[in-house]
Amino acid sequence: MDLQVLWFCLIAFFFGGYFVLEGFDFGVGLLLPFLPRNEEERSTMFRTIGPVWDGNEVWLVIAGASMFAAFPAWYATMFSGFYIALLLLLVFLIVRVLSFEWRERHEHSRWLGLWAWANTIGSLGAALIWGVAFSNLLYGVPINSSGDFDGSFWDLFNLYTLLGGVAVVLLFAFHGATYLTLRTTGELCRRAATAAGRLSIATAVVGAGFLIWTVAVAVDRNDKGVFPPLVPALLAIAALLGAVVCVRLARSGWAFVLTAAGAFLVVATIFTSLYPRVMVASNDFANSLTVDDASSAHYTLKVMSFVALIVAPLVLLYQGWTYHVFRARLSSEAEPAPADLVPRETGA
């Protein structure tokens, strides 16, 4: 395997990790208007992701930095073509950050409710844009002979890319619901399990439709054979169907593992369908950007490989330890005051 292919696979892995980890963050945010019945339960939902959400976003930083360094032409064309969409994505992500940082500044119910809705809107917008953006890489956008984007913002929207956005939103919501069944207790946990059950069928149906359509788009618009894109697509569909079964059997741990696998395999399907191209040109297929054409020099990729060999294990160890420390379930029920825990003395 040459270094261009290695870094293409690594970028796919980083985005897959981002979808798995930040996916349940977004999912919890998407469920904030529907699951909690009071402010205590809403605060509990925030606390389930409070210690980990910023660490999860590190995967996006690593993926973007790797794309910039390993495939500068891909980075330049994608960020210029998707400029408005990615600017909106940045706004949604900033709104989510503010919802975590500013929510606890005041205890007024309207203030708390405002930032809860801000988190939901940021999660919905970011998830939708990610689905549309990744779908466009495969479906194709106008690219001229110089490798520059030659279209408009509205060229990013069609039935396939919109279906991709809806599929990602549903998948993240389902993933977030299964996560909450592992991190909460009592009525909130039961409602999360009910939400997971309701979301499971819709997610499996829409997700399967999107994945099958993705394979068809790869064959029709990217000059690919049915294999290998069909392999991760079928595995993703199997994972989503398995999650449906596990939710019905109340196997929360396995349901979460399978929704995580589904999120990762959706990204794997997109990237497998793309290779050996990184962006498909819709106006002239010859203008499509390939892995070889868009990559940096061999020396740059070699230096990046040595750095990644050192940094990547540290990131994985750090995140693994974080999840180990914050693995306990959280309760939204009011705990007794310390004075109430002391046995009272009774007179004769």
Side-chain angles (χ1 to χ4, degrees), residues 16 33 35 81 88 95 103 107 173 183 291 306 325:
L35 291 189
L88 288 173
V95 167
R103 185 174 182 274
E107 295 183 358
R183 293 298 318 280
V291 169
F306 282 116
V325 171

Side-chain angles (χ1 to χ4, degrees), residues 38-40 42-43 101-115:
N38 51 52
E39 186 54 43
E40 288 74 18
R42 189 176 295 113
S43 296
E101 300 294 338
W102 286 10
R103 185 174 182 274
E104 302 299 332
R105 301 290 181 90
H106 201 288
E107 295 183 358
H108 195 280
S109 58
R110 290 185 178 179
W111 177 266
L112 296 173
L114 169 67
W115 292 111

Side-chain angles (χ1 to χ4, degrees), residues 1-347:
M1 179 185 295
D2 59 29
L3 291 179
Q4 288 94 337
V5 177
L6 173 64
W7 275 99
F8 180 82
C9 294
L10 285 175
I11 290 171
F13 174 77
F14 294 146
F15 274 117
Y18 175 73
F19 266 48
V20 170
L21 298 177
E22 192 80 316
F24 68 72
D25 280 359
F26 288 144
V28 172
L30 289 167
L31 296 172
L32 276 171
F34 309 106
L35 291 189
R37 295 292 181 268
N38 51 52
E39 186 54 43
E40 288 74 18
E41 291 185 344
R42 189 176 295 113
S43 296
T44 299
M45 290 179 65
F46 268 97
R47 285 191 291 129
T48 61
I49 58 177
V52 298
W53 68 268
D54 50 352
N56 294 341
E57 289 193 344
V58 170
W59 288 78
L60 175 59
V61 175
I62 294 174
S66 299
M67 182 185 294
F68 172 77
F71 299 98
W74 180 15
Y75 182 93
T77 302
M78 180 177 175
F79 276 73
S80 62
F82 300 173
Y83 180 78
I84 297 178
L86 293 177
L87 180 61
L88 288 173
L89 173 65
L90 182 61
V91 170
F92 286 129
L93 293 178
I94 291 174
V95 167
R96 287 187 75 246
V97 172
L98 293 177
S99 72
F100 288 107
E101 300 294 338
W102 286 10
R103 185 174 182 274
E104 302 299 332
R105 301 290 181 90
H106 201 288
E107 295 183 358
H108 195 280
S109 58
R110 290 185 178 179
W111 177 266
L112 296 173
L114 169 67
W115 292 111
W117 273 106
N119 191 285
T120 298
I121 293 171
S123 300
L124 174 63
L128 184 67
I129 290 175
W130 277 123
V132 171
F134 275 112
S135 301
N136 268 288
L137 294 178
L138 178 63
Y139 191 83
V141 293
I143 301 175
N144 61 29
S145 57
S146 300
D148 300 322
F149 179 79
D150 196 23
S152 68
F153 172 71
W154 302 109
D155 291 324
L156 305 180
F157 298 97
N158 53 68
L159 288 178
Y160 169 69
T161 59
L162 289 175
L163 179 63
V166 172
V168 170
V169 170
L170 286 173
L171 178 57
F172 285 176
F174 185 23
H175 193 31
T178 61
Y179 174 75
L180 287 172
T181 62
L182 298 177
R183 293 298 318 280
T184 58
T185 62
E187 286 298 322
L188 182 58
C189 181
R190 282 187 280 275
R191 273 185 245 116
T194 301
R198 293 174 178 174
L199 287 165
S200 61
I201 298 296
T203 303
V205 171
V206 175
F210 170 69
L211 289 162
I212 293 171
W213 199 349
T214 296
V215 175
V217 168
V219 173
D220 183 54
R221 302 180 70 88
N222 196 31
D223 195 26
K224 296 280 290 187
V226 173
F227 294 95
L230 187 61
V231 175
L234 290 178
L235 290 174
I237 293 172
L240 294 178
L241 293 176
V244 173
V245 174
C246 288
V247 167
R248 295 295 186 274
L249 297 176
R251 304 295 294 272
S252 300
W254 279 108
F256 176 74
V257 169
L258 289 171
T259 55
F264 188 88
L265 288 166
V266 165
V267 177
T269 302
I270 294 288
F271 276 77
T272 305
S273 300
L274 266 175
Y275 184 81
R277 278 158 282 280
V278 293
M279 285 188 73
V280 176
S282 59
N283 53 334
D284 186 350
F285 187 68
N287 294 340
S288 301
L289 299 180
T290 66
V291 169
D292 292 334
D293 296 338
S295 68
S296 296
H298 178 79
Y299 179 77
T300 301
L301 298 178
K302 187 175 180 180
V303 172
M304 289 176 60
S305 300
F306 282 116
V307 173
L309 190 63
I310 298 172
V311 174
L314 296 177
V315 173
L316 293 173
L317 287 172
Y318 165 76
Q319 284 217 295
W321 176 251
T322 301
Y323 281 102
H324 175 74
V325 171
F326 296 103
R327 68 190 183 278
R329 289 178 180 267
L330 301 177
S331 174
S332 58
E333 299 177 1
E335 297 182 357
D340 296 334
L341 299 176
V342 180
R344 296 183 179 179
E345 297 181 0
T346 57

